Each structure stands twice: as structure tokens, then as C-alpha cells.
């Protein structure tokens, strides 16, 4: 679908972004794109490296969780870089990089995915909040990238699907599937 040129929904959103989305929302989109994007997985990755080293020095078994989440984060994030040359899709406006899939969206989605998995293991009570924040930030970065006319809608959706797909495949392979709750057997 992305090799044949922009889909009708892509073209319609591109035309709308070029007319009435440019004012205030365009400025907000530029700020969102500056804040949400490539720095996010680097920040989480750095935090995971520090946590892994600290936990390892203390012989804390959580070191293996943080290390595996780091691997998961890297694998999810690299989907965009590996796929861009394969699809070789041009952006809606002239730009120095290829379009599909969106690297900004891959950054936000991979960071959120890894954060949710990390919370499943180390802070289960935060999982719902982290999921909601991840979905909200992912939707915002998708809207920002389309509004700025640097991506087609299908670039953003494809990026989400790639990251989540890799995440769902690697989570069990890395033995990061959430621990099963222990069921208490009743005496009745």
C-alpha cells in the first residue's frame, strides 16, 4: 500500500494540513515534534543502562529485567531505520529523509511499549497510567507529523504497527511476558 504512492486518506489529510491546520496547531505540532521523538528512547535507554549497572552491582535480579527491556526498546526502535530503505517512500514535502515508517512515531511508540513492559515487572500499579500516557503521546506525535506535512498518515500507522508487532514477538522471546498472578486456593 505504501509503495504505490499516497492513499486517498493520505492525500486528503495532506491537503487539509496545507490549508487550515497550519496556524496554532502547526506551532503546537512543531513543539511536540521537538519534544517527542528520537530523544525519548535514548533517555529511557540511558536510564535502563544505569539501572542495569546499579542492580547488577547489588546482585539484584531486576538487572536482568532492565537489560532485557533495553534490548526490547532497541529492537522496537530500530524498525523505522531498517524499514525506510526497504520501502523508499518519499515524504509529502521535500525533506532530506525517507518517509515510511515515521521515526518520531517509532520513538514514542517504542519508548511507551518498553515502559509498559518495564512497569509490568517493576511497578505493576503504574501500568494503566503508562498505557494511557503512551497512547495519548503516540496519537499526538502522529497528528503532529501529519500536520507538519513531513509524513503521510499511513507512515504513522505503519510505524505503530511495526513497533507493536516487533514488541509482541520479542516480549515472550526475551522472557518478558508479564508474570502470572499467583492464585490463592480457597478452602471452600
Amino acid at each position: 500500500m505504501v509503495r504505490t504512492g499516497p492513499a486517498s486518506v493520505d492525500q486528503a489529510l495532506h491537503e487539509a494540513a496545507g490549508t487550515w491546520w497550519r496556524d496554532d496547531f502547526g506551532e503546537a505540532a512543531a513543539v511536540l515534534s521537538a519534544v517527542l521523538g528520537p530523544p525519548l528512547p535514548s533517555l529511557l535507554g540511558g536510564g535502563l543502562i544505569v539501572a542495569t549497572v546499579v542492580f547488577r552491582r547489588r546482585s539484584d535480579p531486576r538487572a536482568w529485567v532492565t537489560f532485557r527491556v533495553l534490548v526490547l526498546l532497541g529492537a522496537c526502535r530500530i524498525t523505522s531505520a531498517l524499514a525506510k530503505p526497504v520501502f523508499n517512500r518519499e515524504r509529502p514535502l521535500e525533506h532530506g529523509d525517507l518517509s515510511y515508517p515515521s521515526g518520531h512515531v517509532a520513538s514514542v511508540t517504542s519508548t511507551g511499549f518498553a515502559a509498559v513492559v518495564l512497569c509490568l515487572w517493576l511497578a505493576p500499579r503504574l501500568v494503566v497510567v503508562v498505557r494511557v500516557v503512551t497512547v495519548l503521546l503516540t496519537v499526538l506525535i502522529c497528528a503532529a507529523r501529519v500536520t507538519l506535512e513531513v509524513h503521510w498518515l499511513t507512515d504513522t500507522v505503519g510505524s505503530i504497527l511495526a513497533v507493536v508487532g516487533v514488541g509482541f514477538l520479542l516480549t515472550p522471546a526475551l522472557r518478558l511476558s508479564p508474570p502470572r498472578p499467583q492464585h490463592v486456593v480457597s478452602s471452600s
Side-chain angles (χ1 to χ4, degrees), residues 9-78:
V9 68
D10 285 331
Q11 198 61 45
L13 283 173
H14 175 67
E15 290 168 11
T19 57
W20 54 273
W21 285 6
R22 270 301 199 189
D23 298 329
D24 293 335
F25 195 67
E27 291 176 24
V31 171
L32 281 171
S33 283
V35 173
L36 300 177
L40 288 181
S42 298
L43 291 171
L44 179 58
L48 288 168
I49 291 169
V50 169
T52 300
V53 169
V54 169
F55 287 151
R56 185 74 182 121
R57 285 187 178 162
R58 295 179 182 168
S59 298
D60 188 324
R62 293 178 292 181
W64 295 112
V65 172
T66 55
F67 176 74
R68 289 179 294 176
V69 171
L70 177 65
V71 172
L72 177 68
L73 172 65
C76 287
R77 176 54 190 97
I78 203 164

Side-chain angles (χ1 to χ4, degrees), residues 40-41 44 73 105-119 127 130-131 133-135 137-138 163:
L40 288 181
L44 179 58
L73 172 65
V105 174
S107 292
V108 173
T109 308
S110 62
T111 301
F113 193 96
V116 168
V117 171
L118 185 66
C119 285
V127 169
V130 173
R131 280 183 184 158
V133 170
T134 296
V135 169
L137 293 179
T138 300
V163 167

Side-chain angles (χ1 to χ4, degrees), residues 127-167:
V127 169
V128 172
V129 172
V130 173
R131 280 183 184 158
V132 169
V133 170
T134 296
V135 169
L136 176 64
L137 293 179
T138 300
V139 168
L140 285 174
I141 196 62
C142 288
R145 302 307 285 168
V146 171
T147 298
L148 293 172
E149 300 181 89
V150 293
H151 282 290
W152 304 103
L153 176 65
T154 50
D155 297 339
T156 63
V157 173
S159 189
I160 293 168
L161 293 174
V163 167
V164 172
V166 168

